[in-house]
Amino acid sequence: MIRFIRSVLMAGVCLASSVFAQEKIQFRIDQLLGNMEDRQLAKQLGQYRQQVITGIEAWCMEQSECNPELLSVHDLAAFVTIINKNDADIRLKMLFDRVLKKFRDTEWGRKILNHREVFLEDFNQWCVTRSLECSSGRLSEELLANYMHQWNPDSQALQAINSQNNDTGPILPEPYWSCYDFINDKDNTVRYGWLYWRDVRIFIDPEKAKAKKGPLVYYWHGSNEDWSQIYRVLGHSVIDEIVSEGGIVVAPHAGAPAALPWYIMNPATTGLENDYYLADQIAACAEQLYDIDEERIYSMGFSAGGIQSAAMGRLRSNYIAAIASYSGGQLPWFSLLFSQAPDNYYRAYITYGTRGEDKVPLVEFADTSESLLGYLEWRGFHEVMVCQQNRGHTMPYRSMRQGWEFIKNTRYQRLTSEQTAEFKKAWVRRNEKSWCY
């Protein structure tokens, strides 16, 4: 009863703030659509106005403060694309997030959040056994909230999963295709399906990799660049250090146009998972061929690559232990994407330059970086270093090594229900001299 009363009180507060946020969102959408020169596109986006409002609300839920004035027409188009491509699942996720927000600060709510997939599977089965219409278009908040109150976090299905994952370690994928030995400092063609392959520059000492359990490090390059950007970001010294301990560094070639090199950035392709299937194949083959330290898999990148690294933290949280996002961050529509392992609270190193100077068309990296920080703070438990620097959209060379130093000893761990029973604020540090130059 106490839990229910507290939930009702929290729901009242959330409702008031939600109404205010929705008014700001509606105003911003109308402002953007009204100022568009392409009236045909404005009409098309306007047809999905309510869906976009719901999607932006999901983004606001993950932020300490809702700032829809930061949104662009590009963002609206991305929300429409994602919702259209996976309408039922996305709508259910948004509804789930909206309802759970009222209870997420309770032990019960966090247990549901950390086991969302099991909860939704149980919910769908509950609907079937009661002949209820639970399709996303007809599903109400009241029905979902009612089931949340009934759901047993200690169900047999959940206990079975917990017993399988008592080590709380990473869950590596199986190879999609045959694995072939990695060749050092060459473009390796990595096949991850019948008609899918990509060149990846790989740095490895095969003998050391087989003799030692070293880390696997992904580097994702920025827009209008190629894999060789890694030399200017990490540099030979960091690459050599990783390889000398038996580690493997991989720098994928882009699979999309140079201006938007990773699928997550383009509203037309953001629902495609090619980049992540490629990352899966690399991880699976690295484990199969060289027995890597599977608890030390990291993602790093600058600019578009920094955004891609943030996406890896969500979409490949089954095995990513830490990320470094240099002038990257996250885009608003990331809120529509499902996290593989919500109970993985990875470490993050975030840098960005001067607001108004560290930017490219359509992206202000101070805003995207702070949005990523807002998401990590909303989740709690993460350890984060934030470096705000006096620069434009240029690489902070001295901080590149510091990013690696901050994440390199992080070991993957998913927190148990007991560890998340009491909410713990994210440990966020800013501009510490030892980590930020």
Side-chain angles (χ1 to χ4, degrees):
M1 177 60 72
I2 293 175
R3 182 178 71 185
F4 178 75
I5 293 173
R6 180 184 175 188
S7 298
V8 170
L9 293 173
M10 290 173 63
V13 174
C14 290
L15 179 61
S17 60
S18 176
V19 170
F20 177 66
Q22 192 173 77
E23 291 177 351
K24 292 172 64 179
I25 292 167
Q26 291 174 346
F27 176 81
R28 180 56 176 166
I29 291 176
D30 291 339
Q31 185 182 50
L32 289 171
L33 295 179
N35 292 334
M36 286 182 66
E37 295 182 4
D38 187 338
R39 300 314 302 167
Q40 183 63 28
L41 178 59
K43 183 178 179 180
Q44 291 175 356
L45 294 179
Q47 293 175 348
Y48 298 96
R49 187 173 183 275
Q50 190 54 51
Q51 293 96 314
V52 172
I53 289 173
T54 305
I56 297 172
E57 282 184 326
W59 171 60
C60 285
M61 286 179 198
E62 298 180 353
Q63 303 295 312
S64 57
E65 183 179 354
C66 183
N67 294 306
E69 63 273 13
L70 301 178
L71 297 170
S72 68
V73 172
H74 185 76
D75 298 322
L76 300 189
F79 276 110
V80 170
T81 300
I82 296 175
I83 291 171
N84 280 344
K85 283 187 175 179
N86 201 7
D87 184 73
D89 288 343
I90 292 297
R91 286 172 181 264
L92 180 56
K93 177 188 181 299
M94 290 190 295
L95 190 63
F96 172 87
D97 289 344
R98 185 189 305 152
V99 174
L100 186 63
K101 183 181 180 182
K102 302 169 185 177
F103 318 115
R104 69 176 301 275
D105 289 331
T106 66
E107 177 183 351
W108 169 63
R110 284 190 296 277
K111 192 168 288 190
I112 294 176
L113 180 64
N114 283 347
H115 299 94
R116 179 171 56 198
E117 288 74 16
V118 176
F119 170 84
L120 292 176
E121 183 178 337
D122 287 352
F123 174 71
N124 286 328
Q125 186 61 38
W126 180 75
C127 289
V128 170
T129 57
R130 287 161 178 77
S131 300
L132 296 174
E133 181 55 76
C134 291
S135 63
S136 60
R138 301 183 181 182
L139 180 61
S140 66
E141 287 190 30
E142 290 75 17
L143 182 63
L144 190 58
N146 181 41
Y147 181 72
M148 281 187 178
H149 284 291
Q150 297 181 36
W151 188 65
N152 176 17
D154 298 316
S155 65
Q156 291 184 348
L158 185 56
Q159 288 178 350
I161 287 181
N162 286 337
S163 65
Q164 294 171 9
N165 299 309
N166 282 334
D167 61 356
T168 66
I171 305 171
L172 262 63
E174 295 294 324
Y176 299 118
W177 205 258
S178 300
C179 297
Y180 301 98
D181 289 342
F182 294 166
I183 303 174
N184 180 51
D185 203 7
K186 298 289 183 182
D187 285 342
N188 292 243
T189 299
V190 177
R191 193 162 191 164
Y192 55 98
W194 178 251
L195 296 174
Y196 300 96
W197 59 86
R198 189 95 60 83
D199 282 345
V200 179
R201 182 57 62 113
I202 297 180
F203 301 90
I204 184 175
D205 182 324
E207 292 186 2
K208 289 182 178 178
K210 290 180 178 179
K212 305 178 180 181
K213 291 177 72 71
L216 172 63
V217 182
Y218 295 90
Y219 179 78
W220 309 89
H221 66 75
S223 300
N224 299 311
E225 295 256 10
D226 60 25
W227 68 267
S228 64
Q229 186 188 68
I230 193 173
Y231 292 126
R232 305 199 317 278
V233 177
L234 295 187
H236 289 280
S237 62
V238 172
I239 295 172
D240 292 345
E241 176 187 322
I242 296 170
V243 170
S244 68
E245 64 168 306
I248 303 170
V249 181
V250 297
H253 289 231
L260 300 170
W262 314 113
Y263 288 102
I264 192 69
M265 300 193 65
N266 189 336
T269 61
T270 194
L272 299 178
E273 294 193 61
N274 301 47
D275 295 325
Y276 309 103
Y277 293 146
L278 173 66
D280 289 346
Q281 181 70 7
I282 292 170
C285 290
E287 171 65 14
Q288 182 183 107
L289 298 171
Y290 302 102
D291 191 25
I292 58 170
D293 186 343
E294 59 187 35
E295 293 184 354
R296 295 180 65 207
I297 302 179
Y298 312 118
S299 185
M300 309 178 73
F302 170 75
S303 189
I307 291 174
Q308 173 67 11
S309 284
M312 285 284 287
R314 279 191 189 238
L315 298 179
R316 288 304 179 262
S317 50
N318 270 359
Y319 56 81
I320 292 295
I323 66 168
S325 179
Y326 304 105
S327 289
Q330 69 171 12
L331 300 170
W333 57 86
F334 280 26
S335 59
L336 302 185
L337 306 175
F338 288 86
S339 176
Q340 273 190 330
D343 49 353
N344 170 18
Y345 297 89
Y346 49 88
R347 181 180 283 196
Y349 184 85
I350 302 170
T351 70
Y352 62 87
T354 306
R355 188 180 303 277
E357 296 181 22
D358 187 4
K359 65 178 183 178
V360 297
L362 300 177
V363 181
E364 167 66 74
F365 289 101
D367 292 336
T368 54
S369 297
E370 286 293 328
S371 178
L372 172 59
L373 174 61
Y375 167 68
L376 300 177
E377 288 184 312
W378 172 77
R379 279 170 47 80
F381 301 96
H382 291 271
E383 181 179 354
V384 188
M385 178 59 63
V386 182
C387 300
Q388 301 163 269
Q389 299 166 324
N390 184 22
R391 59 176 173 82
H393 194 55
T394 57
M395 285 166 282
Y397 295 103
R398 294 182 65 190
S399 294
M400 297 302 182
R401 168 169 279 280
Q402 296 310 103
W404 168 243
E405 293 292 334
F406 186 76
I407 69 173
K408 72 178 185 180
N409 293 318
T410 307
R411 304 196 71 82
Y412 184 99
Q413 182 182 20
R414 285 174 289 116
L415 299 185
T416 64
S417 297
E418 290 73 23
Q419 289 172 309
T420 58
E422 184 176 346
F423 183 76
K424 180 180 177 183
K425 291 179 63 176
W427 183 22
V428 178
R429 293 176 282 169
R430 286 183 179 267
N431 303 319
E432 290 192 1
K433 289 184 178 180
S434 57
W435 296 112
C436 305
Y437 289 107

